[in-house]
Amino acid sequence: MAAEQICVSRSPEETQAIAEALAPALLPGDIVALSGDLGAGKTAFVQGAARGLGVKERVTSPTFVIVREYQGRVPVLHVDVYRLGNLRELVELGYEEFLDPAWVVFIEWGDAVDALLPDEWLEVELRREGDEERRVVFRAHGREWGRRLAGVRERTASWKAAV
Ligand SMILES: Nc1ncnc2c1ncn2[C@@H]1O[C@H](COP(=O)(O)OP(=O)(O)OP(=O)(O)O)[C@@H](O)[C@H]1O
Ligand SMILES: [Mg+2]
Protein backbone atom coordinates (compact mmCIF):
# COMPACT_ATOMS: atom_id res chain seq x y z
CA MET A 1 0.00 0.00 0.00
CA ALA A 2 1.27 3.43 -0.88
CA ALA A 3 2.09 5.62 2.10
CA GLU A 4 -0.68 8.20 1.96
CA GLN A 5 -2.65 10.67 3.96
CA ILE A 6 -5.92 11.94 2.51
CA CYS A 7 -7.43 15.17 3.83
CA VAL A 8 -10.61 17.01 3.01
CA SER A 9 -10.67 20.78 2.49
CA ARG A 10 -13.86 22.79 2.20
CA SER A 11 -12.43 26.20 1.34
CA PRO A 12 -9.27 27.83 -0.01
CA GLU A 13 -8.45 28.90 3.56
CA GLU A 14 -8.70 25.32 4.73
CA THR A 15 -6.35 24.15 1.97
CA GLN A 16 -3.91 26.80 3.14
CA ALA A 17 -4.30 25.69 6.75
CA ILE A 18 -3.60 22.05 5.80
CA ALA A 19 -0.51 23.20 3.92
CA GLU A 20 0.58 25.37 6.83
CA ALA A 21 0.32 22.30 9.06
CA LEU A 22 2.71 20.49 6.73
CA ALA A 23 5.34 23.24 6.92
CA PRO A 24 6.98 22.24 10.24
CA ALA A 25 7.73 18.84 8.69
CA LEU A 26 9.66 20.40 5.80
CA LEU A 27 13.44 20.66 5.71
CA PRO A 28 15.86 22.36 3.33
CA GLY A 29 16.41 20.09 0.34
CA ASP A 30 12.84 18.84 0.33
CA ILE A 31 10.91 18.61 -2.92
CA VAL A 32 7.13 18.88 -2.81
CA ALA A 33 5.53 18.18 -6.20
CA LEU A 34 1.91 19.24 -6.66
CA SER A 35 -0.45 17.72 -9.15
CA GLY A 36 -4.10 18.33 -9.92
CA ASP A 37 -6.28 20.02 -12.50
CA LEU A 38 -6.36 23.73 -13.33
CA GLY A 39 -7.78 25.57 -10.35
CA ALA A 40 -7.55 22.54 -8.07
CA GLY A 41 -5.70 24.57 -5.45
CA LYS A 42 -2.01 23.89 -6.02
CA THR A 43 -1.05 27.54 -5.68
CA ALA A 44 -3.35 27.95 -2.67
CA PHE A 45 -1.51 25.05 -1.07
CA VAL A 46 1.89 26.64 -1.69
CA GLN A 47 0.61 29.92 -0.21
CA GLY A 48 -0.25 28.16 3.04
CA ALA A 49 2.95 26.13 3.14
CA ALA A 50 5.06 29.24 2.50
CA ARG A 51 3.28 31.06 5.33
CA GLY A 52 4.10 28.12 7.57
CA LEU A 53 7.72 28.40 6.49
CA GLY A 54 7.80 32.02 7.60
CA VAL A 55 7.39 33.72 4.23
CA LYS A 56 5.81 37.13 4.80
CA GLU A 57 5.57 38.10 1.16
CA ARG A 58 2.43 37.30 -0.82
CA VAL A 59 2.87 34.14 -2.86
CA THR A 60 1.38 34.44 -6.35
CA SER A 61 1.15 31.93 -9.14
CA PRO A 62 4.47 31.58 -10.94
CA THR A 63 2.77 30.30 -14.08
CA PHE A 64 4.07 33.07 -16.30
CA VAL A 65 7.50 33.44 -14.81
CA ILE A 66 7.97 29.74 -14.16
CA VAL A 67 9.89 30.24 -10.93
CA ARG A 68 9.76 32.54 -7.91
CA GLU A 69 11.94 32.69 -4.80
CA TYR A 70 10.87 33.62 -1.31
CA GLN A 71 12.78 34.14 1.90
CA GLY A 72 11.30 32.48 4.95
CA ARG A 73 12.72 30.52 7.86
CA VAL A 74 14.29 28.65 4.95
CA PRO A 75 14.53 29.79 1.33
CA VAL A 76 11.52 28.70 -0.69
CA LEU A 77 11.39 28.07 -4.42
CA HIS A 78 8.03 27.91 -6.20
CA VAL A 79 8.14 26.47 -9.70
CA ASP A 80 5.29 26.03 -12.17
CA VAL A 81 6.20 23.89 -15.15
CA TYR A 82 2.79 24.07 -16.82
CA ARG A 83 3.94 26.30 -19.64
CA LEU A 84 7.10 24.41 -20.37
CA GLY A 85 6.93 22.42 -23.56
CA ASN A 86 9.16 19.61 -22.48
CA LEU A 87 11.59 18.43 -19.87
CA ARG A 88 14.57 19.72 -21.81
CA GLU A 89 13.33 23.29 -21.28
CA LEU A 90 13.18 22.70 -17.57
CA VAL A 91 16.71 21.35 -17.51
CA GLU A 92 17.87 24.37 -19.55
CA LEU A 93 16.15 26.65 -17.09
CA GLY A 94 18.49 25.31 -14.44
CA TYR A 95 16.49 22.48 -13.00
CA GLU A 96 19.62 21.08 -11.36
CA GLU A 97 19.73 24.17 -9.18
CA PHE A 98 16.24 23.42 -7.92
CA LEU A 99 17.72 20.36 -6.29
CA ASP A 100 20.07 22.55 -4.26
CA PRO A 101 19.85 21.30 -0.67
CA ALA A 102 19.34 24.82 0.68
CA TRP A 103 15.81 25.20 -0.68
CA VAL A 104 12.42 23.82 0.05
CA VAL A 105 11.07 23.45 -3.48
CA PHE A 106 7.41 23.36 -4.53
CA ILE A 107 6.77 22.25 -8.10
CA GLU A 108 3.30 22.69 -9.61
CA TRP A 109 2.36 20.10 -12.22
CA GLY A 110 4.99 17.94 -10.59
CA ASP A 111 3.65 14.87 -12.36
CA ALA A 112 5.00 16.37 -15.58
CA VAL A 113 8.50 16.14 -14.17
CA ASP A 114 8.23 12.79 -12.39
CA ALA A 115 11.12 11.47 -14.45
CA LEU A 116 13.41 14.23 -13.17
CA LEU A 117 12.53 13.97 -9.51
CA PRO A 118 15.06 12.51 -7.09
CA ASP A 119 14.30 9.33 -5.11
CA GLU A 120 12.89 11.25 -2.18
CA TRP A 121 9.96 13.59 -2.64
CA LEU A 122 6.54 14.34 -1.30
CA GLU A 123 3.63 14.31 -3.68
CA VAL A 124 0.59 16.45 -2.98
CA GLU A 125 -2.36 15.77 -5.22
CA LEU A 126 -5.26 18.25 -5.18
CA ARG A 127 -8.51 16.70 -6.27
CA ARG A 128 -11.61 18.76 -6.96
CA GLU A 129 -14.71 17.23 -5.40
CA GLY A 130 -17.12 20.11 -5.82
CA ASP A 131 -17.15 23.91 -5.99
CA GLU A 132 -15.27 24.29 -2.72
CA GLU A 133 -14.46 20.78 -1.68
CA ARG A 134 -11.03 19.34 -2.39
CA ARG A 135 -9.16 16.20 -1.44
CA VAL A 136 -5.59 16.85 -0.49
CA VAL A 137 -3.62 13.65 -0.92
CA PHE A 138 -0.12 13.40 0.56
CA ARG A 139 1.90 10.57 -0.96
CA ALA A 140 5.40 9.68 0.17
CA HIS A 141 8.03 8.73 -2.38
CA GLY A 142 11.22 7.15 -1.10
CA ARG A 143 12.01 5.45 2.19
CA GLU A 144 12.85 8.58 4.09
CA TRP A 145 9.54 10.25 3.17
CA GLY A 146 7.83 6.96 3.93
CA ARG A 147 9.00 7.38 7.52
CA ARG A 148 8.33 11.10 7.65
CA LEU A 149 4.75 10.70 6.49
CA ALA A 150 3.81 9.62 10.01
CA GLY A 151 4.56 13.18 11.16
CA VAL A 152 2.51 14.60 8.29
CA ARG A 153 -0.38 12.34 9.30
CA GLU A 154 -0.21 13.61 12.86
CA ARG A 155 -0.11 17.27 11.87
CA THR A 156 -2.98 16.99 9.43
CA ALA A 157 -5.08 14.54 11.47
CA SER A 158 -7.93 16.97 12.03
CA TRP A 159 -8.60 17.14 8.27
CA LYS A 160 -8.30 13.41 7.62
CA ALA A 161 -10.92 12.08 5.21
CA ALA A 162 -13.45 9.72 6.76
CA VAL A 163 -13.18 7.27 3.85
N1 LIG B 1 -11.07 23.98 -0.95
C1 LIG B 1 -10.40 24.77 -1.82
N2 LIG B 1 -9.04 24.74 -1.85
C2 LIG B 1 -8.35 25.50 -2.72
N3 LIG B 1 -8.90 26.31 -3.63
C3 LIG B 1 -10.26 26.39 -3.64
C4 LIG B 1 -11.05 25.62 -2.74
N4 LIG B 1 -12.36 25.90 -2.98
C5 LIG B 1 -12.37 26.79 -3.96
N5 LIG B 1 -11.12 27.10 -4.38
C6 LIG B 1 -10.78 28.02 -5.47
O1 LIG B 1 -10.10 27.28 -6.47
C7 LIG B 1 -9.06 28.08 -7.04
C8 LIG B 1 -7.73 27.44 -6.80
O2 LIG B 1 -6.78 28.19 -7.47
P1 LIG B 1 -5.23 27.87 -7.48
O3 LIG B 1 -4.59 28.93 -8.28
O4 LIG B 1 -4.75 27.62 -6.11
O5 LIG B 1 -5.23 26.48 -8.29
P2 LIG B 1 -4.04 25.83 -9.09
O6 LIG B 1 -4.21 24.36 -8.91
O7 LIG B 1 -2.75 26.42 -8.68
O8 LIG B 1 -4.37 26.24 -10.58
P3 LIG B 1 -3.38 26.34 -11.85
O9 LIG B 1 -3.40 24.99 -12.45
O10 LIG B 1 -4.03 27.35 -12.70
O11 LIG B 1 -2.02 26.73 -11.36
C9 LIG B 1 -9.17 29.46 -6.38
O12 LIG B 1 -9.97 30.27 -7.18
C10 LIG B 1 -9.85 29.15 -5.06
O13 LIG B 1 -10.58 30.23 -4.56
MG1 LIG C 1 -1.25 27.35 -9.71
Side-chain angles (χ1 to χ4, degrees), residues 9-12 15 36-45 61 63 80 108-109 131-134:
S9 160
R10 294 191 174 79
S11 67
T15 295
D37 296 338
L38 281 168
K42 302 179 291 297
T43 298
F45 186 97
S61 176
T63 301
D80 191 328
E108 291 195 35
W109 299 95
D131 275 356
E132 295 254 287
E133 191 169 318
R134 303 286 190 271

